[in-house]
Each structure stands twice: as C-alpha cells, then as structure tokens.
Amino acid sequence: MSIFAIIATVLASVIAMEFVAWGAHKYIMHGFGWNWHRDHHEPHDKMLEKNDLYGIVGAVMSISMFAIGSPMIMGNSAWEPGTWIGLGILFYGIIYTLIHDGLVHQRYFKYVPKRGYAKRLVQAHKLHHATIGKEGGVSFGFVFARDPAKLKAELKVQRETGKAVVRDSVGAV
C-alpha cells in the first residue's frame, strides 16, 4: 500500500469507529448490553466500571485486525489493510479514553473547558446522562457532539411524550 493509502485507511477507520461506537452505544449499551453499561450512568466511587469491559471489546477488534494484517500470523493470506484498520481502531480508543473518560468524566485529569468544542462535548455528554435508565436519551456519540440546545429540545420532547425519564437537574428541559 502507498503511504497515502495507509494514512487514508487509518483516518477512515478512526472516523468509522465514531459511527460504530454511536451505534453500539445506542443499540447495544442502551439495549441488551445495559448490564455492563448501567454503572456508568449511576453514581459510584469505584475506579473501574463494568462499562470498561467495552474497552476490552474495542481492543479485541483492534488486535483482530492487526492479526488479519500480519504475515507472521496469517502467512500468505495476510490482508495488509487489516494492520492499518487495527491502527485506526487503536487511535480511536486512545481518543475515546482521553475525551470521554478523561475530559468528560474527569477520570484521569481535572479540566473543565470554558468554551469551544471541548465545552460542547462535555455539555452534550452531560445531557446524555440526563436520562434515568436505558430508555430514550440523546448524544450517543463520543467525539462528535451536536448542539446542546438541540439536544435539550429533544430531551424535552422525550420527557413530554414519556419516551424517557429525565432528571430535573438538567435545567430548562
């Protein structure tokens, strides 16, 4: 593969992982996988959460792609793009860890952004946590965040239609 193809594959994989993560968050974590994700939505003082098991799932995806791309493991049937897709998944995992666990939930460092996209990410994810239970909700992505005012409006509709139980502390919702 050319260096351009390698870079494009890695970048495309990072971007694609946001869509994979959005779908997994909305339909798995807030669906049949709620048992692992529930403690992430509940107050606790533990260093680790069951929800962290989803990080292991992401690591298995990345390692699997590295293996598919490795001639040492796959021999002549190795598929080189697998290596670069695996690297993209790894990069997404690092980005997720820094943004979601670090910036938004402050598990690794304390920093509250006052403006810009970082503030928007934090606000959007706090609105995601505004619902009680797995039903309803907004902002299932981790790196791309929609306008918090639009998310608040969606939560208001969900509360009014009974699609979700929304915490009172969300303010004007």
Side-chain angles (χ1 to χ4, degrees):
M1 291 179 71
S2 71
I3 190 71
F4 175 78
I6 290 169
I7 292 169
T9 302
V10 171
L11 290 175
S13 299
V14 171
I15 293 166
M17 280 305 297
E18 175 67 358
F19 293 98
V20 169
W22 180 92
H25 191 188
K26 183 170 177 82
Y27 298 109
I28 296 172
M29 295 178 195
H30 282 258
F32 66 86
W34 179 249
N35 187 45
W36 281 9
H37 190 59
R38 176 187 292 122
D39 67 345
H40 180 69
H41 282 266
E42 297 171 347
H44 63 81
D45 58 357
K46 297 178 281 183
M47 189 168 103
L48 296 174
E49 306 171 342
K50 272 190 191 178
N51 184 65
D52 295 330
L53 292 169
Y54 287 113
I56 295 171
V57 172
V60 168
M61 289 169 48
S62 179
I63 292 166
S64 297
M65 292 310 295
F66 277 118
I68 289 169
S70 171
M72 290 179 56
I73 296 171
M74 301 300 289
N76 289 336
S77 62
W79 183 57
E80 184 184 356
T83 298
W84 309 117
I85 293 168
L87 188 62
I89 295 170
L90 172 64
F91 285 164
Y92 182 83
I94 292 168
I95 292 165
Y96 166 88
T97 299
L98 291 173
I99 290 176
H100 180 263
D101 290 345
L103 177 68
V104 173
H105 288 289
Q106 299 185 353
R107 288 176 76 179
Y108 312 124
F109 53 86
K110 303 288 184 212
Y111 170 71
V112 179
K114 303 289 186 225
R115 64 184 187 286
Y117 195 73
K119 180 179 179 181
R120 182 176 174 147
L121 279 170
V122 171
Q123 288 175 326
H125 200 71
K126 286 188 184 295
L127 289 168
H128 171 74
H129 281 267
T131 57
I132 298 172
K134 68 180 186 174
E135 303 302 325
V138 294
S139 193
F140 290 92
F142 296 107
V143 179
F144 301 117
R146 292 178 42 224
D147 177 17
K150 291 180 180 175
L151 297 173
K152 278 187 175 189
E154 282 183 36
L155 279 173
K156 183 177 181 184
V157 169
Q158 288 183 17
R159 173 189 270 167
E160 291 169 351
T161 60
K163 281 183 136 179
V165 177
V166 180
R167 300 179 199 280
D168 290 330
S169 62
V170 180
V173 185

